[in-house]
Amino acid sequence: MRPEPSKTAPLEITVLVSVGRHPLTGRGRRADQDARGVELARALPAPEVRLLHAGALDGGSEAALRGYLGMGFDALTLLEQPEGADVLPALADALSEASPQLVITGERAEQGEGSGLLPYLLAEWLGWPVVNGLAEVEDVQDGVATLLQALPRGQRRRLKVRLPAIVTVDGAAPAPRQSAYGPARRGTLEAVPGPVSLDGDWESWQVQPARKRPKRLKIVKAASARDRFKAAAAKAEGGGGQVLTDVTPEQGAEAILKLLKEEGVLR
Amino acid sequence: MLDTLLPILIFAALAVAVIGAGRRVRLWRQGRPARVALLQGLAAMPRRYLVDLHHVVGRDKVMSNTHVATAGGFVAAAVLMILVHGLGLAEGVLGWLLLAASGCMFVGSLFVARRRRNPPARLSRGPWMRLPKSLMAFSLGVFAVTLPSVGLLPEGFLEGSGGWLLALVLAAVVTWGLGEMVFGMTWGGPMKHAFAGALHLAFHRRPERFGGGRSTGLKALDLDDPEAPLGVEKPADFTWNQLLGFDACVQCGRCEAMCPAFAAGQPLNPKKLIQDMVVGMAGGSDAAYAGSPYPGKPVGEHQGSPHGPIVARDGKALVDAETLWSCTTCRACVEECPMMIEHVDAIVDMRRFLTLEHGNTPNKGAEVLDNLIATDNPGGFDPGARMHWAADLELPLMADRGAAEVLLWLGDGAYDMRNQRTLRALVKVLRAAGVDFAVLGNEERDSGDVARRLGDEATFQSLAKRNIATLARYRFARIVTCDPHSFHVLGNEYGELGGDYEVRHHSTYIAELFEAGRLHFKPWKGGGVTYHDPCYLGRYNGEYEAPRNVLKALGIEVAEMERSGFRSRCCGGGGGAPITDIPGERRIPDMRMNDVRETGAELVAVGCPQCTAMLEGVVDGGAEVRDIAELVADALAEAPQATGGGATQTQRPQAVEVV
Amino acid sequence: MSEIQRRDPRKEWIARNRLHPQHLEVLAELGQGAASEWMGPSGLVRKNPHAVGFTGPHGIKRIDRSGVQQGAGGGVGSATTGAERKPLVEIDEPAFLVAVVPDMTGGRLSGHDRDLLGLARQLADADPRAPGAVLAVVFGAHKEEGFADAGIDRLVQLEAPELEGYAPEARLGALVAVEEAWAPRHWLVPDSKLGGADLGRRLAARLGERPATGVWQLEADAEARGEDGSGWRCTARGAAGTLDIQRPLPRVALALAECAEPVSETRHAAERLTLPQALPAQLSRIEDLGQVAVDPAGVALSEAEFILSAGNGVRDWDGFHRAARVLGATEGASRVAVDDGFMPRDRQVGATGTWVTARVYVAVGISGAIQHLQGIQPCEKVVAINMDPGCDMIKRADLAVIGDSAQVLEALVALVERQREEKRHAA
């Protein structure tokens, strides 16, 4: 099924997977970017893809982790960590022991602090290069990987990185394959003990559900109150359901162009 | 000479047929075990054949009579032939009876031959084209060899050199006839349908369907047993009586003629699918198939074996995945099948494997299933926003009330802006009739219909079990819903998981309310109206009358479409078909709106959110699409002679009376 | 800020008291009071007895019923707008530095960068007795002329070939050199996909600091003074934007757009600094092969910012594709256009296709089936070009042009091309 690499030595990939959280319901699931990472790894001519997760195992997280197994894996290595632990030392230990050539992970977690710092800290710890925001791994040859990095607005940048390396996956990477129930049910979670260090800082912070950010007011620095009043009272230009009937195509086009320019989408 | 030859021929044919039967049975027994009441089934078989099956066959009177003449004649002739020629009991009336039977069969075979002269496209050709000749050979041969036995021809007629020749010719003809009719019955000729069909009727997987019953709910997978297979991967994964059912197919193509996906040029033909299963069961290629292919897929490129995959992960096997995903689960094929084969069960069984083991639900299927898992609705909407559409309606919540006469099941249409209009109308109608109802509100989840039809039995059962647990907390007399899919699942499929409810489609309930005098309508002023039967209301639940009664109560005379009632054409919205979205040459809803146009109606009444969405999505459809609830709500009028405080009367006291 | 304005509480009180005999005199003296009367748009003189909202110096909207319109400072009608009149603030001996690493998209400060500089100013100016200075670290050549107006006191411009393009490791080395040279009290980096998010995290990891990421609010907080003495508490988004984490502001912070108001009322020195020693040479393990040409038509619909979407009313498909190309828009389609085979399925917009979040959505010949309108709900601006003025899309649209879509698109294409031509000539 997966084409065997012709000349290169077998490529060992570890994908770090986390327990995601659905944005609306908060239910545990495959983390979107991590799942894309797994998909990226599967698309490579890699004979060995290993899934690695560090965290606690409970009802919610098990279902999510089995979600990764459902993408066609027999096993997932689980570094058991209590709730609120700093998983970095355990992951770094496990990675330096297994020494894969490529570590793939999502940009940031969907739960907890979600700072997106882990790949950088791991890279710093292991002394490996780290590349962020991948859309595709194009090729791996002679210890060098050719990558496509996702930029905003669908743009892409091609990079080469020397392996071993850590790469993070952007939401623009190919969507993960469906997680099938059968393999998810059959797969095993291989628990491996690891060093545990508690995250004291996190305990001391106040955490609450995100508040809606206030929308920035358009501050009008006008000379007179009248101008400010007009600015405050006037409808947004071009908006408010303006309907142009009986106009020439040119007039219509001008109105549209004006709106496009105001919104800054025209380059 | 014939006197010695015929018994040998007859008993040799019978012996070979018995060997063939053994082989055939071995093929079926490759399937998984199924719990079937064997003796009861065999005992019920004649009745099932003569009543239930002929009820379906009888929809085509000519063919029905042809079949009665041919099959009846054959069965009688075969039995008598064994007695007369095999055992030499030619005396008296038996020989005459045999003459009559074979004559009757011959007349029947003439009609079969006429049918085969210019066969419609739905009929398979190939070996089936020689069937009338074989029938004639058998009937004529038996007729001819019986003539001397009854003394119509002199005993010595077949003696002498000319007679010898004639006898040889006759023997050859009889051999041909016997070969087709007896040998072919168990070794795989067209007559196989008689043998397999009879046993299929006896061991049918849905015995409830016979005797006027109805059984349409899919059967649950056992998910608690980790060893139990998840759906059907290879032909041998079907239960043995499913395999037997496939073997019963007569290739009459009535399913093909009814299948909306086939008509739309999507790569599905129910007849070919069943034949492919037969090919898989025996092993080999589909090259010998002589009927219409799957649209766009040439015959001869697929092959399979009993223990090989039906659908390959890559490349080709027995069937392509898109064939299975084209089905709208409308059950038109099952309804039409004279052999009562269960196509939809087989398709969903195979889909289950694709989804649960391959993880390969096409197009938006995976996304929809993920949404169902994460948000309990296929659109991925916030479960807390389920009641936003009714913010101003102050719907009573079950959580506050604890009990109500009617539990109004809203369905996922609560998120759809079009269906919200229907729901509003329905609420208005219920209030006008003073019905004591309540909704589950945010506690409601998707019924699991889509998940199940897409093969995700695990998600279906998870949703169903949670819904059942929610429903168990409240007291209500019945569930009313405007979504036939929820109706079907709640009413017919939750039972297996421990939820038994009395469920009503809103059209049924409105008809009841009207009959009870709780609704009053203004006369209808609009134009011509036709009615589209939703598959999950009609074929799945047999409710064809109530919607028409409601329309009649509104003063509407329905201009029926050519395909209506149990032959209603699907809108294309069932079985997750809009989600898997297999391309065809046409779109199913377009064809349906054409049907509507042919009636000249300005408005098509429907009773299903899916149908509404599909039919309304047709560009330049011509007719307006309205749900029955909307029509009723628009026509609501005050009670004609409201006495005193009429308004309060319709609100309170009646609600109490009914409980 | 630098002008010292004295308040006269008595005059303010008279100005507020409309019954005071000296009210009008005082108002006139304060140079205010006329704004309650003006010529309305239709030529009528309108009176507004309430002086309707204005924005105070801290960006908070105020309603002042005193008749004294602007600035309770009641002083000289100081209309200090115009760049040349902005006061110049110079901090010669900064008590500390706040380093900012702007993204400099397209060689200019982005809006996000300016917000961040505003945040940096909050940190720097908190204590007027010991003002800090804002240090901006800029890589490579730039086209920005407004560093001073953006609130930058010191500017380090690092130019080297190895810093060009995507060179996170070299840039990190440079930032470490800045750290060694000046040891800023805070490092502020935009938490943006344009590079800041990456570079900021690298920096934090290298400096061994635990950064605050996704910061969107900053408050002075005496309690947070702690042993580090940052004295600030920040609110940061966590868990994919679903949590607010309140914590003391660490040394390195990655902040979101609109985390603070950009600097607008003062000018700053933007004095150039140079690193005391040359950048350390290092082996780069990441090689940038440059940006890949991406066809806007190939951009995923859900990612697209600007969508030109075609429906049943489009007849001239070549014209439509051309318009999308010229405008640089991503193509979308209604279900009908997809069903009819004019557009591929992955281009379908709507509840049954893709839910789009474009900033501008131009619907060409789409009547607006309800499922389609659901799918474009999150779009900010909707433009409709349609023949039928009664269709639902027109009701949803912010701007609707009734007419033949092919002609309007053609005119639009011509207009855009002409303007581009003129620009090219002007430049």
Side-chain angles (χ1 to χ4, degrees):
Chain A
M1 304 213 225
R2 273 175 275 139
E4 290 295 314
S6 45
K7 299 178 203 86
T8 47
L11 177 67
E12 281 174 41
I13 298 179
T14 296
V15 187
L16 305 182
V17 294
S18 62
V19 176
R21 187 178 173 282
H22 193 270
L24 288 174
T25 56
R27 286 186 203 161
R29 59 162 191 180
R30 291 182 288 168
D32 181 62
Q33 289 172 337
D34 293 344
R36 285 172 200 267
V38 176
E39 186 62 43
L40 220 58
R42 293 241 84 165
L44 278 172
E48 204 179 305
V49 179
R50 185 162 163 249
L51 303 180
L52 182 61
H53 170 75
L57 186 68
D58 53 43
S61 67
E62 179 169 351
L65 294 176
R66 290 202 173 275
Y68 296 107
L69 291 174
M71 296 172 81
F73 291 89
D74 298 329
L76 178 148
T77 312
L78 176 76
L79 297 169
E80 279 198 277
Q81 299 276 307
E83 197 78 35
D86 181 1
V87 298
L88 179 72
L91 281 179
D93 267 17
L95 286 181
S96 48
E97 201 170 301
S99 64
Q101 282 153 290
L102 190 62
V103 175
I104 302 180
T105 179
E107 287 205 309
R108 56 189 79 176
E110 294 176 2
Q111 308 207 48
E113 190 184 354
S115 65
L117 214 62
L118 182 91
Y120 296 93
L121 293 173
L122 278 177
E124 200 66 31
W125 192 304
L126 299 166
W128 293 0
V130 55
V131 177
N132 69 314
L134 241 60
E136 201 184 323
V137 177
E138 289 188 317
D139 186 33
V140 180
Q141 236 169 17
D142 306 330
V144 175
T146 313
L147 315 169
L148 268 192
Q149 189 183 39
L151 302 176
R153 294 201 77 199
Q155 302 299 306
R156 301 282 183 270
R157 177 157 53 200
R158 187 167 287 130
L159 302 171
K160 271 192 173 176
V161 65
R162 186 147 322 136
L163 300 181
I166 298 181
V167 296
T168 70
V169 179
D170 188 84
R177 69 189 62 193
Q178 188 177 359
S179 173
Y181 176 82
R185 187 171 71 166
R186 279 192 300 273
T188 50
L189 302 172
E190 289 166 1
V192 175
V196 171
S197 61
L198 285 174
D199 183 354
D201 289 348
W202 173 255
E203 304 276 301
S204 68
W205 298 340
Q206 282 176 39
V207 179
Q208 61 204 35
R211 274 182 293 152
K212 212 169 174 176
R213 285 182 67 182
K215 227 179 164 170
R216 181 182 262 181
L217 287 172
K218 266 199 179 152
I219 300 168
V220 182
K221 295 234 158 60
S224 73
R226 191 188 152 195
D227 291 347
R228 283 196 302 275
F229 176 76
K230 268 170 76 178
K235 274 188 172 176
E237 286 197 51
Q242 190 189 358
V243 180
L244 304 177
T245 29
D246 299 326
V247 290
T248 62
E250 285 72 27
Q251 287 167 323
E254 252 166 59
I256 295 172
L257 186 63
K258 184 161 157 261
L259 183 137
L260 297 184
K261 280 191 172 162
E262 273 166 12
E263 290 298 317
V265 289
L266 215 56
R267 302 274 150 115
Chain B
M1 185 220 61
L2 272 180
D3 290 342
T4 47
L5 196 56
L6 274 177
I8 295 172
L9 270 179
I10 290 170
F11 288 110
L14 281 176
V16 178
V18 168
I19 296 171
R23 289 172 49 103
R24 214 71 214 167
V25 169
R26 271 228 313 278
L27 284 183
W28 303 330
R29 290 198 46 191
Q30 295 174 108
R32 288 209 295 255
R35 206 172 295 150
V36 178
L38 291 176
L39 291 178
Q40 249 174 307
L42 281 173
M45 192 252 280
R47 192 188 146 74
R48 289 177 181 179
Y49 173 75
L50 292 172
V51 179
D52 298 288
L53 184 135
H54 261 279
H55 189 68
V56 182
V57 178
R59 290 171 190 168
D60 182 344
K61 277 279 171 269
V62 177
M63 262 334 280
S64 167
N65 294 336
T66 305
H67 192 254
V68 167
T70 322
F74 165 67
V75 171
V79 172
L80 289 166
M81 182 179 70
I82 294 170
L83 295 177
V84 173
H85 296 295
L87 304 174
L89 302 170
E91 293 86 39
V93 77
L94 285 180
W96 289 101
L97 283 176
L98 178 53
L99 274 186
S102 52
C104 172
M105 183 179 168
F106 179 70
V107 174
S109 63
L110 287 179
F111 279 90
V112 178
R114 196 183 70 169
R115 170 76 153 190
R116 285 281 156 189
R117 200 174 305 148
N118 251 327
R122 63 180 170 87
L123 288 178
S124 288
R125 288 140 200 267
W128 293 85
M129 295 308 278
R130 70 163 193 257
L131 184 61
K133 294 180 199 110
S134 309
L135 290 171
M136 283 185 212
F138 183 85
S139 51
L140 278 182
V142 171
F143 191 86
V145 297
T146 311
L147 286 178
S149 313
V150 294
L152 277 182
L153 283 177
E155 280 291 329
F157 183 72
L158 297 174
E159 308 290 317
S161 62
W164 268 96
L165 202 62
L166 193 62
L168 268 181
V169 169
L170 269 182
V173 168
V174 170
T175 312
W176 176 13
L178 277 175
E180 181 75 84
M181 304 304 290
V182 182
F183 173 81
M185 186 180 278
T186 56
W187 286 81
M191 285 310 292
K192 184 186 71 180
H193 79 272
F195 172 59
L199 293 180
H200 164 60
L201 288 179
F203 310 136
H204 198 277
R205 73 190 243 106
R206 292 180 185 276
E208 307 86 357
R209 280 186 67 191
F210 302 103
R214 188 170 294 282
S215 166
T216 52
L218 293 174
K219 300 191 187 260
L221 279 184
D222 180 7
L223 296 177
D224 297 327
D225 175 8
E227 298 303 316
L230 302 168
V232 166
E233 178 191 17
K234 37 196 199 293
D237 284 343
F238 285 111
T239 59
W240 66 267
N241 56 346
Q242 275 178 301
L243 293 179
L244 167 59
F246 302 147
D247 229 4
C249 175
V250 270
Q251 304 196 39
C252 67
R254 292 192 190 198
C255 49
E256 169 187 322
M258 286 297 144
C259 179
F262 180 79
Q266 287 173 297
L268 171 64
N269 176 350
K271 179 174 88 177
K272 170 83 161 60
L273 184 75
I274 298 300
Q275 285 310 308
D276 281 349
M277 294 303 113
V278 174
V279 165
M281 170 167 63
S285 131
D286 66 344
Y289 172 73
S292 326
Y294 299 128
K297 288 196 188 290
V299 168
E301 295 178 354
H302 292 76
Q303 46 205 329
S305 64
H307 297 283
I310 295 175
V311 178
R313 269 181 204 267
D314 318 283
K316 285 183 172 156
L318 191 55
V319 172
D320 291 340
E322 49 182 21
T323 294
L324 302 178
W325 294 115
S326 295
C327 177
T328 66
T329 67
C330 74
R331 257 185 108 77
C333 48
V334 184
E335 183 71 38
E336 208 63 25
C337 179
M339 297 308 292
M340 312 196 107
I341 297 169
E342 295 284 343
H343 310 67
V344 175
D345 284 0
I347 288 176
V348 173
D349 279 341
M350 291 184 273
R351 284 185 178 185
R352 281 174 175 169
F353 188 83
L354 294 182
T355 292
L356 295 176
E357 285 290 353
H358 280 196
N360 218 348
T361 323
N363 289 323
K364 296 202 103 186
E367 186 188 326
V368 164
L369 294 176
D370 277 350
N371 285 339
L372 281 168
I373 292 167
T375 64
D376 299 336
N377 66 74
F381 302 103
D382 185 356
R386 192 174 270 275
M387 294 306 288
H388 281 187
W389 65 277
D392 58 332
L393 291 180
E394 290 172 16
L395 293 185
L397 287 179
M398 269 294 181
D400 304 334
R401 300 273 303 275
E405 188 217 338
V406 165
L407 186 140
L408 181 60
W409 184 274
L410 301 170
D412 295 311
Y415 291 107
D416 178 72
M417 288 157 91
R418 171 61 185 88
N419 189 237
Q420 287 164 8
R421 297 212 300 262
T422 306
L423 289 173
R424 281 181 170 276
L426 182 56
V427 167
K428 189 178 162 195
V429 172
L430 293 181
R431 289 206 159 135
V435 174
D436 169 37
F437 74 95
V439 296
L440 286 177
N442 291 340
E443 287 183 293
E444 193 181 304
R445 293 170 197 84
D446 178 86
S447 62
D449 166 69
V450 174
R452 192 167 223 196
R453 313 300 131 180
L454 289 178
D456 193 346
E457 183 73 5
T459 303
F460 165 73
Q461 290 193 11
S462 150
L463 287 166
K465 283 176 182 159
R466 283 179 290 151
N467 275 327
I468 290 170
T470 306
L471 290 169
R473 293 209 302 274
Y474 303 117
R475 281 184 299 120
F476 49 87
R478 61 187 59 86
I479 299 175
V480 171
T481 177
C482 66
D483 174 16
H485 295 262
S486 304
F487 170 36
H488 168 66
V489 172
L490 287 167
N492 299 331
E493 296 190 347
Y494 275 21
E496 210 176 346
L497 301 169
D500 285 301
Y501 313 104
E502 186 187 328
V503 192
R504 293 261 205 296
H505 185 246
H506 69 310
S507 63
T508 316
Y509 194 64
I510 290 173
E512 283 174 15
L513 290 175
F514 177 77
E515 261 160 45
R518 289 164 71 177
L519 289 173
H520 304 278
F521 304 133
K522 291 180 279 203
W524 172 251
K525 291 207 190 71
V529 175
T530 186
Y531 170 69
H532 164 77
D533 286 277
C535 310
Y536 276 72
L537 182 62
R539 276 189 291 273
Y540 273 82
N541 287 293
E543 185 58 280
Y544 303 109
E545 285 315 309
R548 290 179 169 80
N549 289 342
V550 172
L551 292 174
K552 205 163 125 201
L554 291 172
I556 294 172
E557 200 173 316
V558 175
E560 292 288 358
M561 285 182 265
E562 192 190 318
R563 284 181 60 173
S564 65
F566 71 84
R567 277 197 171 138
S568 168
R569 198 207 289 267
C570 179
C571 69
I579 297 162
T580 52
D581 191 29
I582 303 300
E585 288 154 31
R586 287 164 290 279
R587 295 184 67 247
I588 297 173
D590 290 356
M591 297 190 297
R592 190 54 174 164
M593 280 313 265
N594 265 338
D595 294 352
V596 171
R597 194 174 297 129
E598 278 167 15
T599 66
E602 289 165 27
L603 187 147
V604 52
V606 292
C608 172
Q610 282 291 349
C611 299
T612 315
M614 296 304 288
L615 297 183
E616 236 174 31
V618 174
V619 181
D620 304 327
E624 195 186 349
V625 182
R626 310 272 326 257
D627 193 279
I628 285 184
E630 292 179 282
L631 295 175
V632 171
D634 286 352
L636 281 179
E638 291 285 314
Q641 63 278 352
T643 48
T648 51
Q649 192 195 2
T650 47
Q651 271 174 14
R652 297 245 157 217
Q654 291 195 351
V656 180
E657 276 167 34
V658 178
V659 176
Chain C
M1 307 284 114
S2 60
E3 281 178 68
I4 297 168
Q5 296 176 334
R6 296 205 173 274
R7 300 170 61 168
D8 184 339
R10 186 181 131 77
K11 276 189 185 154
E12 286 175 24
W13 174 71
I14 293 172
R16 280 198 297 273
N17 184 354
R18 268 170 282 179
L19 299 179
H20 195 279
Q22 285 175 303
H23 177 67
L24 288 176
E25 292 163 41
V26 169
L27 271 191
E29 189 184 330
L30 293 175
Q32 303 287 327
S36 59
E37 263 184 30
W38 70 94
M39 186 83 79
S42 54
L44 284 173
V45 174
R46 311 302 304 261
K47 286 191 179 180
N48 184 1
H50 318 289
V52 177
F54 68 94
T55 309
H58 300 294
I60 299 169
K61 200 172 185 195
R62 315 300 301 257
I63 293 180
D64 187 342
R65 299 186 188 284
S66 68
V68 181
Q69 285 290 330
Q70 191 184 16
V76 216
S78 55
T80 50
T81 42
E84 68 287 347
R85 294 192 57 192
K86 274 199 224 167
L88 177 69
V89 180
E90 283 183 278
I91 299 163
D92 298 325
E93 292 287 319
F96 59 92
L97 287 176
V98 179
V100 176
V101 189
D103 277 336
M104 301 296 290
T105 3
R108 292 197 173 83
L109 288 171
S110 66
H112 194 169
D113 292 341
R114 289 176 193 276
D115 296 342
L116 218 69
L117 288 165
L119 190 73
R121 280 252 72 86
Q122 275 185 35
L123 291 170
D125 299 339
D127 185 357
R129 287 163 304 173
V134 174
L135 167 74
V137 184
V138 175
F139 294 101
H142 63 80
K143 301 178 210 149
E144 181 63 50
E145 283 152 9
F147 284 126
D149 289 319
I152 295 171
D153 298 309
R154 305 282 187 274
L155 181 69
V156 185
Q157 191 179 353
L158 299 163
E159 278 186 281
E162 66 267 22
L163 293 175
E164 297 298 317
Y166 182 70
E169 295 188 315
R171 290 186 175 199
L172 176 62
L175 292 183
V176 169
V178 171
E179 164 80 12
E180 278 161 7
W182 295 294
R185 182 184 285 183
H186 290 289
W187 281 94
L188 299 183
V189 188
D191 201 349
S192 76
K193 290 236 48 146
L194 295 159
D198 182 40
L199 194 58
R201 285 179 174 81
R202 286 177 195 272
L203 178 68
R206 178 63 53 85
L207 298 183
E209 298 284 347
R210 184 167 189 173
T213 56
V215 173
W216 62 276
Q217 211 175 35
L218 187 66
E219 303 153 321
D221 181 8
E223 275 177 41
R225 208 164 279 279
E227 61 269 32
D228 296 350
S230 86
W232 294 94
R233 166 167 290 273
C234 64
T235 310
R237 284 279 199 248
T242 57
L243 288 182
D244 268 344
I245 301 168
Q246 290 212 343
R247 53 179 289 193
L249 180 71
R251 265 198 81 207
V252 181
L254 288 89
L256 298 177
E258 301 191 7
C259 55
E261 289 301 326
V263 175
S264 62
E265 289 176 345
T266 48
R267 280 189 303 136
H268 295 261
E271 183 190 321
R272 301 245 165 185
L273 297 182
T274 40
L275 274 179
Q277 67 230 65
L279 286 178
Q282 57 178 219
L283 185 74
S284 176
R285 294 167 296 183
I286 303 172
E287 187 188 346
D288 184 358
L289 301 182
Q291 219 162 313
V292 184
V294 175
D295 179 10
V299 174
L301 268 180
S302 49
E303 262 187 274
E305 191 182 22
F306 175 24
I307 297 176
L308 189 69
S309 199
N312 195 36
V314 172
R315 294 280 166 272
D316 176 12
W317 287 94
D318 292 337
F320 171 78
H321 295 308
R322 197 170 109 82
R325 210 169 47 245
V326 170
L327 296 173
T330 304
E331 287 182 5
S334 74
R335 187 189 55 73
V336 182
V338 172
D339 285 341
D340 290 350
F342 291 114
M343 296 285 281
R345 182 63 74 189
D346 65 330
R347 294 285 126 192
Q348 184 185 328
V349 173
T352 45
T354 308
W355 290 66
V356 296
T357 53
R359 216 132 59 75
V360 177
Y361 184 82
V362 183
V364 187
I366 299 179
S367 58
I370 214 154
Q371 289 82 4
H372 193 89
L373 293 179
Q374 270 178 302
I376 61 167
Q377 236 164 19
C379 293
E380 265 177 46
K381 284 272 153 57
V382 174
V383 180
I385 307 175
N386 211 307
M387 290 292 265
D388 172 15
C391 70
D392 288 331
M393 183 57 83
I394 303 284
K395 289 174 199 144
R396 162 70 172 84
D398 299 275
L399 171 67
V401 178
I402 310 296
D404 180 50
S405 62
Q407 289 177 14
V408 175
L409 282 185
E410 207 181 299
L412 188 59
V413 166
L415 206 60
V416 170
E417 279 179 340
R418 196 165 68 235
Q419 292 199 351
R420 290 211 177 124
E421 199 65 23
E422 279 164 15
K423 227 186 226 168
R424 207 167 301 137
H425 285 307

